[in-house]
């Protein structure tokens, strides 16, 4: 695997490479990231991963300084997964001057996760567009665990007429159902044993909706209350349409998703489950 910290060197290495697939990451890789790398191979000939902890998407109260950085271990995992090139710039390389031009997503950036992390999706969209311009992939992969991020980036790519196919990778989970996340490392042993509850309450909402329950607001309130009763501090539990993450317009809507974000100790965990109501899926 080639490792390139410089934009100019990466562009030279990618010159005349066949169909390029990009998997952007912030490092501290786990099995969910590696699953995306493996999936990427099916979509092209040249797999490029990136590692960059993007300051622009962190708020003042976020964990930028303590975000886990495990570069050598990440390189070993990527090489074992068959990644061809790794782009690993530092801040001076990616932002050689103060970033004054931003991608401003529409209103969805202020809802759900955006309500609690102002400016987050603006920072994500800006760095991803920059990575797209540098790598010029034909395909890019992002995990479905960050469901709102996937929607924002997919819509940005379409509206900016970028010749890039956006592929969503399924969430990879531990045996007890907890979605794999770099921030799981913040959990104590007691908190780690409690953490699967987030997935369990979302699955119960799915089962209720599939069984015909349509009091969505009540389901959301009950789920948040259960989490908070067990020591969580819940930002939101929300049933939304998969297409645009807006509230369902009518009770009979079928392609829904339930999303949640809640803090457990020092870790803010997010998760989601797609609901195809009435389909039995």
């Amino acid at each position: 695997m080639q490792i390139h910290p410089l934009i100019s060197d990466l562009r030279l290495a990618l010159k005349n490479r066949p169909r390029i697939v990009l998997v952007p990451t912030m490092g501290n890789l786990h099995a969910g990231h590696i699953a995306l790398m493996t999936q990427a191979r099916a979509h092209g000939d040249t797999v490029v991963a990136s590692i960059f902890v993007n300051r622009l998407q962190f708020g003042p109260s976020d964990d930028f300084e303590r975000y886990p950085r495990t570069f050598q271990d990440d390189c070993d995992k990527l090489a074992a997964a068959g990644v061809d090139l790794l782009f690993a710039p530092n801040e001076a390389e990616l932002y050689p001057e103060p970033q004054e031009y931003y991608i401003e997503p529409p209103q969805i950036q202020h809802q759900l996760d955006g309500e609690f992390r102002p400016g987050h999706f603006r920072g994500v969209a800006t760095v991803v567009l920059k990575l797209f311009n540098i790598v010029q992939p034909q395909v890019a992969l992002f995990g479905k665990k960050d469901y709102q991020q996937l929607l924002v980036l997919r819509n940005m790519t379409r509206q900016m007429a970028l010749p890039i196919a956006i592929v969503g990778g399924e969430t990879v989970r531990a045996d007890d159902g907890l979605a794999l996340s770099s921030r799981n490392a913040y959990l104590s042993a007691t908190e780690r044993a409690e953490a699967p509850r987030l997935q369990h309450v979302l699955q119960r909402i799915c089962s209720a909706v599939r069984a015909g329950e349509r009091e969505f607001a009540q389901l959301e309130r009950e789920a948040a209350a259960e989490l908070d009763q067990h020591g969580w501090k819940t930002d939101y539990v929300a049933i939304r349409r998969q297409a645009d993450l807006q509230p369902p317009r009518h009770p009979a809507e079928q392609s829904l998703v339930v999303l949640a974000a809640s803090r457990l100790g020092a870790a803010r965990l997010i998760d989601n489950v797609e609901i195809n109501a009435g389909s039995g899926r």
Side-chain angles (χ1 to χ4, degrees):
M1 181 180 71
Q2 299 180 21
I3 302 175
H4 294 285
L6 301 180
I7 294 171
S8 58
D9 289 349
L10 178 72
R11 283 176 166 160
L12 186 61
L14 287 173
K15 190 175 182 180
N16 299 322
R17 285 266 191 166
R19 190 170 174 83
I20 298 168
V21 186
L22 173 64
V23 186
T25 83
M26 292 204 301
N28 193 32
L29 305 181
H30 51 66
H33 295 111
I34 301 308
L36 287 177
M37 306 298 165
T38 303
Q39 186 180 353
R41 180 63 63 187
H43 292 276
D45 305 294
T46 304
V47 176
V48 180
S50 67
I51 293 177
F52 181 70
V53 184
N54 177 42
R55 189 186 296 270
L56 296 187
Q57 68 194 68
F58 287 78
S61 62
D62 285 341
D63 56 347
F64 176 79
E65 295 298 341
R66 65 189 180 98
Y67 189 86
R69 291 160 170 85
T70 54
F71 185 71
Q72 187 54 58
D73 185 57
D74 292 343
C75 289
D76 294 342
K77 290 176 179 177
L78 293 173
V83 169
D84 298 301
L85 298 98
L86 170 62
F87 180 45
N90 60 23
E91 279 196 286
E93 180 67 13
L94 208 56
Y95 300 123
E97 57 188 87
Q99 188 71 27
E100 296 176 336
Y101 290 82
Y102 288 85
I103 291 293
E104 198 71 49
Q107 189 61 27
I108 186 63
Q109 73 162 312
H110 304 301
Q111 302 171 16
L112 299 172
D113 233 48
E115 179 182 348
F116 298 91
R117 302 185 69 188
H120 172 69
F121 291 109
R122 180 181 189 238
V124 169
T126 299
V127 75
V128 168
L129 181 59
K130 200 158 192 175
L131 290 171
F132 284 174
N133 286 333
I134 292 166
V135 178
Q136 298 189 16
Q138 284 74 53
V139 183
L141 278 77
F142 300 89
K144 281 188 178 182
K145 184 178 75 70
D146 295 291
Y147 206 90
Q148 189 173 3
Q149 171 181 281
L150 178 61
L151 178 83
V152 167
L153 296 177
R154 183 171 276 150
N155 289 349
M156 176 192 77
T157 302
R158 184 185 67 252
Q159 291 200 7
M160 300 299 286
L162 301 177
I164 303 170
I166 304 298
V167 176
E170 296 299 329
T171 301
V172 177
R173 301 182 180 278
D175 291 341
D176 59 7
L178 177 64
L180 298 188
S181 169
S182 298
R183 291 183 170 91
N184 292 351
Y186 299 157
L187 298 168
S188 69
T190 301
E191 291 162 352
R192 176 61 185 81
E194 167 65 22
R197 187 181 303 275
L198 182 61
Q199 165 70 0
H200 296 164
V201 299
L202 298 186
Q203 288 290 358
R204 283 204 297 276
I205 289 177
C206 288
S207 297
V209 173
R210 289 167 182 157
E213 177 60 62
R214 289 298 179 269
E215 294 295 333
F216 295 150
Q218 181 177 338
L219 290 172
E220 294 166 355
R221 287 193 299 270
E222 290 173 352
E226 177 181 340
L227 289 169
D228 291 348
Q229 287 167 6
H230 287 84
W232 298 69
K233 295 180 180 178
T234 301
D235 288 342
Y236 62 85
V237 177
I239 300 170
R240 297 296 178 95
R241 299 189 311 216
Q242 292 179 23
D244 55 11
L245 293 186
Q246 296 306 302
R249 289 176 179 164
H250 53 80
E253 287 204 52
Q254 304 242 331
S255 293
L256 305 175
V257 58
V258 56
L259 311 100
S262 192
R263 293 186 181 275
L264 185 59
R268 184 178 186 272
L269 304 181
I270 64 172
D271 203 349
N272 64 81
V273 179
E274 291 178 325
I275 313 170
N276 295 299
S279 70
R281 296 175 56 191

Short mmCIF file of all heavy atoms in Angstrom, two decimals, residues 1-4 10 13-14 16-25 29 32-51 74-75 77-88 135-142:
data_model
loop_
_atom_site.label_atom_id
_atom_site.label_comp_id
_atom_site.label_asym_id
_atom_site.label_seq_id
_atom_site.Cartn_x
_atom_site.Cartn_y
_atom_site.Cartn_z
N MET A 1 0.84 -1.19 0.00
CA MET A 1 0.00 0.00 0.00
C MET A 1 0.87 1.25 0.00
O MET A 1 1.77 1.38 0.83
CB MET A 1 -0.90 0.01 1.24
CG MET A 1 -1.84 1.21 1.31
SD MET A 1 -2.90 1.20 2.79
CE MET A 1 -1.70 1.54 4.08
N GLN A 2 0.59 2.15 -0.92
CA GLN A 2 1.29 3.42 -0.95
C GLN A 2 0.65 4.39 0.04
O GLN A 2 -0.57 4.46 0.15
CB GLN A 2 1.24 4.03 -2.34
CG GLN A 2 1.88 3.20 -3.44
CD GLN A 2 1.77 3.89 -4.79
OE1 GLN A 2 1.58 5.11 -4.89
NE2 GLN A 2 1.88 3.11 -5.85
N ILE A 3 1.48 5.15 0.75
CA ILE A 3 1.00 6.17 1.68
C ILE A 3 1.46 7.53 1.20
O ILE A 3 2.66 7.75 0.99
CB ILE A 3 1.51 5.91 3.11
CG1 ILE A 3 1.08 4.52 3.58
CG2 ILE A 3 1.00 6.99 4.06
CD1 ILE A 3 1.65 4.13 4.93
N HIS A 4 0.51 8.44 1.00
CA HIS A 4 0.83 9.75 0.45
C HIS A 4 0.28 10.85 1.37
O HIS A 4 -0.93 11.00 1.49
CB HIS A 4 0.23 9.92 -0.94
CG HIS A 4 0.83 9.00 -1.96
ND1 HIS A 4 2.08 9.20 -2.50
CD2 HIS A 4 0.35 7.86 -2.52
CE1 HIS A 4 2.35 8.23 -3.35
NE2 HIS A 4 1.32 7.41 -3.38
N LEU A 10 -0.06 12.34 -4.32
CA LEU A 10 -1.22 11.46 -4.51
C LEU A 10 -1.76 11.59 -5.93
O LEU A 10 -2.05 10.59 -6.60
CB LEU A 10 -2.31 11.79 -3.50
CG LEU A 10 -3.59 10.96 -3.66
CD1 LEU A 10 -3.36 9.52 -3.22
CD2 LEU A 10 -4.75 11.58 -2.88
N ALA A 13 0.39 9.73 -8.28
CA ALA A 13 0.24 8.29 -8.14
C ALA A 13 -1.07 7.78 -8.74
O ALA A 13 -1.16 6.63 -9.19
CB ALA A 13 0.31 7.90 -6.66
N LEU A 14 -2.09 8.64 -8.76
CA LEU A 14 -3.39 8.23 -9.28
C LEU A 14 -3.54 8.47 -10.79
O LEU A 14 -4.52 8.02 -11.39
CB LEU A 14 -4.51 8.99 -8.56
CG LEU A 14 -4.78 8.57 -7.11
CD1 LEU A 14 -5.78 9.50 -6.45
CD2 LEU A 14 -5.29 7.12 -7.06
N ASN A 16 -3.75 8.11 -14.47
CA ASN A 16 -3.99 6.97 -15.36
C ASN A 16 -4.40 5.68 -14.63
O ASN A 16 -4.41 4.60 -15.22
CB ASN A 16 -2.76 6.68 -16.23
CG ASN A 16 -2.40 7.84 -17.11
OD1 ASN A 16 -3.28 8.53 -17.64
ND2 ASN A 16 -1.10 8.10 -17.27
N ARG A 17 -4.72 5.79 -13.33
CA ARG A 17 -5.23 4.61 -12.61
C ARG A 17 -6.65 4.32 -13.06
O ARG A 17 -7.45 5.23 -13.28
CB ARG A 17 -5.23 4.88 -11.10
CG ARG A 17 -3.85 4.82 -10.46
CD ARG A 17 -3.60 3.43 -9.91
NE ARG A 17 -2.41 3.40 -9.07
CZ ARG A 17 -2.11 2.40 -8.26
NH1 ARG A 17 -2.93 1.36 -8.17
NH2 ARG A 17 -1.02 2.42 -7.54
N PRO A 18 -7.00 3.04 -13.21
CA PRO A 18 -8.38 2.71 -13.59
C PRO A 18 -9.34 3.01 -12.44
O PRO A 18 -8.92 3.35 -11.34
CB PRO A 18 -8.31 1.22 -13.90
CG PRO A 18 -7.15 0.72 -13.13
CD PRO A 18 -6.16 1.84 -13.06
N ARG A 19 -10.57 2.85 -12.69
CA ARG A 19 -11.71 3.22 -11.84
C ARG A 19 -11.37 3.31 -10.35
O ARG A 19 -11.06 2.32 -9.69
CB ARG A 19 -12.84 2.22 -12.06
CG ARG A 19 -14.17 2.60 -11.42
CD ARG A 19 -15.27 1.67 -11.90
NE ARG A 19 -16.53 1.90 -11.22
CZ ARG A 19 -17.41 2.83 -11.54
NH1 ARG A 19 -17.15 3.65 -12.54
NH2 ARG A 19 -18.55 2.95 -10.88
N ILE A 20 -11.46 4.54 -9.82
CA ILE A 20 -11.01 4.84 -8.47
C ILE A 20 -12.20 4.87 -7.51
O ILE A 20 -13.24 5.48 -7.80
CB ILE A 20 -10.28 6.20 -8.44
CG1 ILE A 20 -9.02 6.13 -9.32
CG2 ILE A 20 -9.93 6.60 -7.01
CD1 ILE A 20 -8.40 7.50 -9.57
N VAL A 21 -12.03 4.22 -6.36
CA VAL A 21 -13.04 4.21 -5.30
C VAL A 21 -12.41 4.82 -4.05
O VAL A 21 -11.32 4.42 -3.64
CB VAL A 21 -13.52 2.78 -5.00
CG1 VAL A 21 -14.66 2.81 -4.00
CG2 VAL A 21 -13.95 2.07 -6.28
N LEU A 22 -13.10 5.76 -3.45
CA LEU A 22 -12.59 6.45 -2.26
C LEU A 22 -13.41 6.09 -1.03
O LEU A 22 -14.65 6.07 -1.08
CB LEU A 22 -12.65 7.97 -2.47
CG LEU A 22 -12.32 8.84 -1.24
CD1 LEU A 22 -10.87 8.65 -0.82
CD2 LEU A 22 -12.62 10.31 -1.54
N VAL A 23 -12.71 5.81 0.07
CA VAL A 23 -13.36 5.60 1.37
C VAL A 23 -12.74 6.58 2.36
O VAL A 23 -11.67 6.32 2.91
CB VAL A 23 -13.20 4.15 1.88
CG1 VAL A 23 -14.02 3.95 3.15
CG2 VAL A 23 -13.61 3.14 0.81
N PRO A 24 -13.40 7.71 2.62
CA PRO A 24 -12.84 8.68 3.57
C PRO A 24 -13.06 8.21 5.01
O PRO A 24 -14.12 7.68 5.36
CB PRO A 24 -13.65 9.95 3.30
CG PRO A 24 -14.34 9.73 1.99
CD PRO A 24 -14.56 8.25 1.92
N THR A 25 -12.06 8.43 5.88
CA THR A 25 -12.19 8.10 7.29
C THR A 25 -11.46 9.15 8.12
O THR A 25 -10.69 9.95 7.60
CB THR A 25 -11.59 6.71 7.64
OG1 THR A 25 -10.18 6.83 7.83
CG2 THR A 25 -11.86 5.68 6.55
N LEU A 29 -9.48 2.97 13.03
CA LEU A 29 -10.33 2.10 12.23
C LEU A 29 -10.77 0.86 13.00
O LEU A 29 -10.03 0.30 13.80
CB LEU A 29 -9.58 1.69 10.96
CG LEU A 29 -9.05 2.84 10.10
CD1 LEU A 29 -8.35 2.30 8.87
CD2 LEU A 29 -10.17 3.80 9.71
N GLY A 32 -16.02 -2.01 10.99
CA GLY A 32 -16.95 -1.33 10.09
C GLY A 32 -16.23 -0.62 8.97
O GLY A 32 -16.65 -0.67 7.80
N HIS A 33 -15.13 0.06 9.29
CA HIS A 33 -14.33 0.70 8.24
C HIS A 33 -13.76 -0.33 7.27
O HIS A 33 -13.77 -0.14 6.05
CB HIS A 33 -13.16 1.47 8.87
CG HIS A 33 -13.56 2.63 9.72
ND1 HIS A 33 -13.39 2.63 11.08
CD2 HIS A 33 -14.09 3.84 9.41
CE1 HIS A 33 -13.81 3.78 11.58
NE2 HIS A 33 -14.24 4.53 10.59
N ILE A 34 -13.24 -1.41 7.83
CA ILE A 34 -12.61 -2.42 6.98
C ILE A 34 -13.64 -3.07 6.06
O ILE A 34 -13.34 -3.41 4.91
CB ILE A 34 -11.88 -3.47 7.84
CG1 ILE A 34 -10.81 -2.78 8.69
CG2 ILE A 34 -11.26 -4.54 6.98
CD1 ILE A 34 -9.85 -1.89 7.93
N ALA A 35 -14.87 -3.23 6.54
CA ALA A 35 -15.94 -3.75 5.68
C ALA A 35 -16.17 -2.84 4.48
O ALA A 35 -16.41 -3.30 3.35
CB ALA A 35 -17.22 -3.93 6.48
N LEU A 36 -16.08 -1.52 4.70
CA LEU A 36 -16.21 -0.58 3.59
C LEU A 36 -15.06 -0.73 2.59
O LEU A 36 -15.28 -0.66 1.37
CB LEU A 36 -16.25 0.86 4.11
CG LEU A 36 -17.51 1.32 4.82
CD1 LEU A 36 -17.32 2.75 5.33
CD2 LEU A 36 -18.73 1.25 3.91
N MET A 37 -13.86 -0.96 3.10
CA MET A 37 -12.70 -1.15 2.21
C MET A 37 -12.89 -2.39 1.35
O MET A 37 -12.61 -2.39 0.13
CB MET A 37 -11.41 -1.27 3.02
CG MET A 37 -11.14 -0.15 3.99
SD MET A 37 -10.96 1.48 3.22
CE MET A 37 -11.12 2.53 4.69
N THR A 38 -13.38 -3.46 1.97
CA THR A 38 -13.62 -4.69 1.24
C THR A 38 -14.72 -4.50 0.19
O THR A 38 -14.60 -4.95 -0.95
CB THR A 38 -14.01 -5.82 2.21
OG1 THR A 38 -12.96 -5.97 3.20
CG2 THR A 38 -14.21 -7.12 1.48
N GLN A 39 -15.78 -3.79 0.60
CA GLN A 39 -16.88 -3.52 -0.32
C GLN A 39 -16.41 -2.65 -1.48
O GLN A 39 -16.88 -2.79 -2.62
CB GLN A 39 -18.02 -2.83 0.43
CG GLN A 39 -19.28 -2.62 -0.39
CD GLN A 39 -20.38 -1.94 0.42
OE1 GLN A 39 -20.25 -1.76 1.63
NE2 GLN A 39 -21.45 -1.57 -0.25
N ALA A 40 -15.49 -1.76 -1.20
CA ALA A 40 -15.01 -0.83 -2.23
C ALA A 40 -14.42 -1.56 -3.42
O ALA A 40 -14.56 -1.13 -4.58
CB ALA A 40 -13.99 0.14 -1.64
N ARG A 41 -13.75 -2.67 -3.15
CA ARG A 41 -13.09 -3.42 -4.22
C ARG A 41 -14.09 -3.88 -5.28
O ARG A 41 -13.75 -3.98 -6.47
CB ARG A 41 -12.34 -4.61 -3.61
CG ARG A 41 -11.61 -5.46 -4.62
CD ARG A 41 -10.50 -4.70 -5.33
NE ARG A 41 -9.47 -4.25 -4.41
CZ ARG A 41 -8.47 -3.44 -4.76
NH1 ARG A 41 -8.38 -2.96 -6.00
NH2 ARG A 41 -7.55 -3.08 -3.87
N ALA A 42 -15.32 -4.13 -4.87
CA ALA A 42 -16.34 -4.57 -5.82
C ALA A 42 -16.83 -3.45 -6.73
O ALA A 42 -17.52 -3.69 -7.72
CB ALA A 42 -17.53 -5.17 -5.07
N HIS A 43 -16.47 -2.20 -6.40
CA HIS A 43 -16.96 -1.05 -7.15
C HIS A 43 -15.91 -0.41 -8.04
O HIS A 43 -16.21 0.57 -8.74
CB HIS A 43 -17.53 0.00 -6.20
CG HIS A 43 -18.79 -0.44 -5.50
ND1 HIS A 43 -20.04 -0.31 -6.07
CD2 HIS A 43 -18.97 -1.03 -4.30
CE1 HIS A 43 -20.95 -0.79 -5.24
NE2 HIS A 43 -20.33 -1.23 -4.16
N GLY A 44 -14.68 -0.92 -8.01
CA GLY A 44 -13.66 -0.31 -8.85
C GLY A 44 -12.36 -1.06 -8.80
O GLY A 44 -12.26 -2.14 -8.20
N ASP A 45 -11.36 -0.50 -9.44
CA ASP A 45 -10.06 -1.15 -9.57
C ASP A 45 -9.01 -0.62 -8.62
O ASP A 45 -8.08 -1.32 -8.24
CB ASP A 45 -9.56 -0.96 -11.02
CG ASP A 45 -10.57 -1.44 -12.04
OD1 ASP A 45 -10.83 -2.65 -12.08
OD2 ASP A 45 -11.12 -0.60 -12.77
N THR A 46 -9.14 0.64 -8.23
CA THR A 46 -8.15 1.29 -7.37
C THR A 46 -8.86 1.79 -6.11
O THR A 46 -9.71 2.68 -6.19
CB THR A 46 -7.49 2.48 -8.08
OG1 THR A 46 -6.92 2.04 -9.32
CG2 THR A 46 -6.41 3.11 -7.21
N VAL A 47 -8.51 1.21 -4.96
CA VAL A 47 -9.15 1.60 -3.70
C VAL A 47 -8.24 2.59 -2.97
O VAL A 47 -7.09 2.28 -2.67
CB VAL A 47 -9.43 0.37 -2.82
CG1 VAL A 47 -10.01 0.81 -1.48
CG2 VAL A 47 -10.38 -0.59 -3.53
N VAL A 48 -8.80 3.76 -2.71
CA VAL A 48 -8.09 4.81 -1.98
C VAL A 48 -8.82 5.06 -0.66
O VAL A 48 -10.02 5.30 -0.65
CB VAL A 48 -8.05 6.12 -2.78
CG1 VAL A 48 -7.30 7.20 -2.01
CG2 VAL A 48 -7.41 5.89 -4.15
N ALA A 49 -8.09 4.97 0.43
CA ALA A 49 -8.61 5.37 1.74
C ALA A 49 -7.98 6.70 2.12
O ALA A 49 -6.88 7.03 1.67
CB ALA A 49 -8.30 4.32 2.79
N SER A 50 -8.68 7.46 2.93
CA SER A 50 -8.08 8.67 3.48
C SER A 50 -8.25 8.66 4.99
O SER A 50 -9.23 8.13 5.52
CB SER A 50 -8.72 9.93 2.88
OG SER A 50 -10.07 10.06 3.28
N ILE A 51 -7.26 9.21 5.67
CA ILE A 51 -7.32 9.41 7.11
C ILE A 51 -7.04 10.88 7.38
O ILE A 51 -5.97 11.40 7.05
CB ILE A 51 -6.29 8.54 7.86
CG1 ILE A 51 -6.65 7.05 7.74
CG2 ILE A 51 -6.22 8.94 9.34
CD1 ILE A 51 -5.64 6.12 8.40
N ASP A 74 -3.85 1.68 12.01
CA ASP A 74 -4.76 1.89 10.88
C ASP A 74 -4.09 1.47 9.57
O ASP A 74 -4.72 0.81 8.72
CB ASP A 74 -5.16 3.37 10.78
CG ASP A 74 -6.04 3.81 11.94
OD1 ASP A 74 -6.59 2.94 12.64
OD2 ASP A 74 -6.15 5.03 12.15
N CYS A 75 -2.83 1.84 9.38
CA CYS A 75 -2.11 1.47 8.16
C CYS A 75 -2.02 -0.04 8.01
O CYS A 75 -2.20 -0.58 6.91
CB CYS A 75 -0.71 2.08 8.16
SG CYS A 75 -0.68 3.87 7.94
N LYS A 77 -4.08 -2.28 9.17
CA LYS A 77 -5.40 -2.80 8.83
C LYS A 77 -5.74 -2.53 7.37
O LYS A 77 -6.31 -3.39 6.68
CB LYS A 77 -6.46 -2.19 9.75
CG LYS A 77 -6.38 -2.67 11.19
CD LYS A 77 -7.41 -1.94 12.06
CE LYS A 77 -7.34 -2.43 13.50
NZ LYS A 77 -8.26 -1.70 14.39
N LEU A 78 -5.43 -1.35 6.90
CA LEU A 78 -5.74 -0.99 5.51
C LEU A 78 -4.92 -1.83 4.54
O LEU A 78 -5.44 -2.30 3.51
CB LEU A 78 -5.48 0.49 5.28
CG LEU A 78 -6.41 1.45 6.02
CD1 LEU A 78 -5.95 2.89 5.82
CD2 LEU A 78 -7.85 1.30 5.55
N ALA A 79 -3.66 -2.03 4.85
CA ALA A 79 -2.81 -2.85 3.98
C ALA A 79 -3.34 -4.28 3.93
O ALA A 79 -3.40 -4.89 2.85
CB ALA A 79 -1.37 -2.82 4.47
N ALA A 80 -3.73 -4.82 5.08
CA ALA A 80 -4.27 -6.18 5.13
C ALA A 80 -5.58 -6.30 4.36
O ALA A 80 -5.90 -7.36 3.82
CB ALA A 80 -4.46 -6.62 6.58
N ALA A 81 -6.34 -5.19 4.28
CA ALA A 81 -7.62 -5.19 3.56
C ALA A 81 -7.44 -4.99 2.06
O ALA A 81 -8.43 -4.99 1.31
CB ALA A 81 -8.52 -4.10 4.12
N GLY A 82 -6.21 -4.77 1.61
CA GLY A 82 -5.96 -4.65 0.18
C GLY A 82 -6.14 -3.25 -0.38
O GLY A 82 -6.28 -3.09 -1.61
N VAL A 83 -6.11 -2.25 0.47
CA VAL A 83 -6.20 -0.87 -0.02
C VAL A 83 -4.95 -0.54 -0.83
O VAL A 83 -3.83 -0.90 -0.46
CB VAL A 83 -6.36 0.10 1.17
CG1 VAL A 83 -6.20 1.56 0.73
CG2 VAL A 83 -7.71 -0.11 1.84
N ASP A 84 -5.15 0.15 -1.94
CA ASP A 84 -4.02 0.45 -2.83
C ASP A 84 -3.24 1.68 -2.40
O ASP A 84 -2.01 1.68 -2.40
CB ASP A 84 -4.54 0.64 -4.27
CG ASP A 84 -5.18 -0.62 -4.81
OD1 ASP A 84 -4.50 -1.66 -4.87
OD2 ASP A 84 -6.38 -0.57 -5.16
N LEU A 85 -3.95 2.75 -2.06
CA LEU A 85 -3.30 3.99 -1.68
C LEU A 85 -4.00 4.60 -0.47
O LEU A 85 -5.23 4.56 -0.37
CB LEU A 85 -3.34 5.02 -2.82
CG LEU A 85 -2.64 4.66 -4.13
CD1 LEU A 85 -3.66 4.12 -5.13
CD2 LEU A 85 -1.95 5.88 -4.72
N LEU A 86 -3.21 5.16 0.43
CA LEU A 86 -3.73 5.89 1.58
C LEU A 86 -3.33 7.35 1.46
O LEU A 86 -2.15 7.66 1.31
CB LEU A 86 -3.19 5.30 2.88
CG LEU A 86 -3.47 6.12 4.15
CD1 LEU A 86 -4.97 6.25 4.41
CD2 LEU A 86 -2.76 5.51 5.35
N PHE A 87 -4.32 8.22 1.52
CA PHE A 87 -4.06 9.66 1.57
C PHE A 87 -4.15 10.10 3.03
O PHE A 87 -5.19 9.96 3.67
CB PHE A 87 -5.09 10.41 0.72
CG PHE A 87 -4.92 11.90 0.71
CD1 PHE A 87 -3.66 12.48 0.54
CD2 PHE A 87 -6.02 12.74 0.84
CE1 PHE A 87 -3.50 13.87 0.51
CE2 PHE A 87 -5.87 14.12 0.81
CZ PHE A 87 -4.60 14.68 0.66
N ALA A 88 -3.04 10.57 3.57
CA ALA A 88 -2.97 10.91 5.00
C ALA A 88 -2.34 12.28 5.18
O ALA A 88 -1.20 12.41 5.65
CB ALA A 88 -2.17 9.84 5.75
N VAL A 135 -8.93 13.53 -5.06
CA VAL A 135 -8.83 12.11 -5.48
C VAL A 135 -9.52 11.88 -6.82
O VAL A 135 -9.09 11.04 -7.61
CB VAL A 135 -9.43 11.20 -4.39
CG1 VAL A 135 -9.38 9.73 -4.81
CG2 VAL A 135 -8.68 11.38 -3.06
N GLN A 136 -10.61 12.60 -7.08
CA GLN A 136 -11.41 12.44 -8.30
C GLN A 136 -11.84 10.98 -8.50
O GLN A 136 -11.56 10.37 -9.54
CB GLN A 136 -10.65 12.98 -9.51
CG GLN A 136 -10.36 14.46 -9.41
CD GLN A 136 -9.82 15.09 -10.67
OE1 GLN A 136 -9.89 14.52 -11.75
NE2 GLN A 136 -9.25 16.28 -10.54
N PRO A 137 -12.53 10.44 -7.51
CA PRO A 137 -13.00 9.05 -7.64
C PRO A 137 -14.24 8.96 -8.52
O PRO A 137 -14.93 9.95 -8.75
CB PRO A 137 -13.34 8.68 -6.20
CG PRO A 137 -13.84 9.99 -5.62
CD PRO A 137 -12.97 11.06 -6.27
N GLN A 138 -14.51 7.75 -8.96
CA GLN A 138 -15.77 7.48 -9.64
C GLN A 138 -16.84 6.98 -8.67
O GLN A 138 -18.04 7.08 -8.94
CB GLN A 138 -15.57 6.44 -10.76
CG GLN A 138 -14.90 6.99 -12.00
CD GLN A 138 -13.41 7.23 -11.80
OE1 GLN A 138 -12.66 6.36 -11.39
NE2 GLN A 138 -12.97 8.45 -12.09
N VAL A 139 -16.38 6.46 -7.53
CA VAL A 139 -17.28 5.93 -6.50
C VAL A 139 -16.73 6.34 -5.13
O VAL A 139 -15.51 6.39 -4.95
CB VAL A 139 -17.39 4.38 -6.57
CG1 VAL A 139 -18.39 3.85 -5.54
CG2 VAL A 139 -17.77 3.92 -7.97
N ALA A 140 -17.62 6.61 -4.18
CA ALA A 140 -17.20 6.87 -2.80
C ALA A 140 -18.14 6.14 -1.86
O ALA A 140 -19.35 6.07 -2.11
CB ALA A 140 -17.20 8.36 -2.49
N LEU A 141 -17.57 5.56 -0.80
CA LEU A 141 -18.35 4.79 0.16
C LEU A 141 -18.38 5.46 1.52
O LEU A 141 -17.35 5.96 2.00
CB LEU A 141 -17.78 3.37 0.32
CG LEU A 141 -18.18 2.34 -0.74
CD1 LEU A 141 -17.40 2.55 -2.03
CD2 LEU A 141 -17.98 0.92 -0.23
N PHE A 142 -19.57 5.45 2.14
CA PHE A 142 -19.78 5.97 3.49
C PHE A 142 -20.69 5.01 4.23
O PHE A 142 -21.60 4.42 3.66
CB PHE A 142 -20.42 7.36 3.45
CG PHE A 142 -19.59 8.39 2.72
CD1 PHE A 142 -19.75 8.57 1.35
CD2 PHE A 142 -18.66 9.15 3.39
CE1 PHE A 142 -18.99 9.50 0.66
CE2 PHE A 142 -17.89 10.09 2.71
CZ PHE A 142 -18.05 10.27 1.35
#
